[in-house]
Amino acid sequence: IGSLIVPKGSIDVQGKEHMKDFTLADSEKGIVRQFCTNCGTHLFAFGNTHPVIAVHGGTLDDSSKFNPQVVIWGQSKRPYHCFKEGVPVFDQYPPQS
């Protein structure tokens, strides 16, 4: 499972007291990554100016509800990744329309 891109504020996060922010120093868009302070798992990533957040799929309580609509950054696919048939795959971001 990769990451789910969802609107900020649309998910319920448990254990916020165990999250630590890391802001990329040279990021023009203020990219923040959040990690678990207990185990170091990368949980979320978002830009301060973006209306969405990337939720790492492996952190979901129930990943069976994860139904991909599109794959971005397909060029980074590892040999063990399988994409659902019929889902559009883009090497990077989809073209803007």
Side-chain angles (χ1 to χ4, degrees):
I1 293 180
S3 296
L4 292 78
I5 308 298
V6 299
K8 285 181 181 173
S10 67
I11 57 171
D12 179 32
V13 178
Q14 299 174 7
K16 290 181 184 178
E17 68 275 11
H18 301 292
M19 289 173 36
K20 176 81 173 157
D21 289 5
F22 174 78
T23 303
L24 300 176
D26 295 335
S27 172
E28 294 175 8
K29 297 181 180 182
I31 302 298
V32 176
R33 293 186 177 172
Q34 293 179 314
F35 296 85
C36 174
T37 58
N38 288 331
C39 67
T41 297
H42 184 191
L43 304 168
F44 307 103
F46 58 89
N48 288 327
T49 61
H50 290 81
V52 297
I53 184 169
V55 180
H56 291 269
T59 65
L60 300 175
D61 288 335
D62 181 6
S63 63
S64 68
K65 296 179 181 177
F66 177 54
N67 186 23
Q69 303 299 305
V70 65
V71 173
I72 59 173
W73 292 100
Q75 69 184 14
S76 300
K77 175 184 176 290
R78 299 295 177 244
Y80 50 82
H81 283 134
C82 299
F83 299 138
K84 185 177 173 182
E85 192 171 325
V87 173
V89 178
F90 297 94
D91 282 345
Q92 294 182 359
Y93 288 108
Q96 298 292 318
S97 53

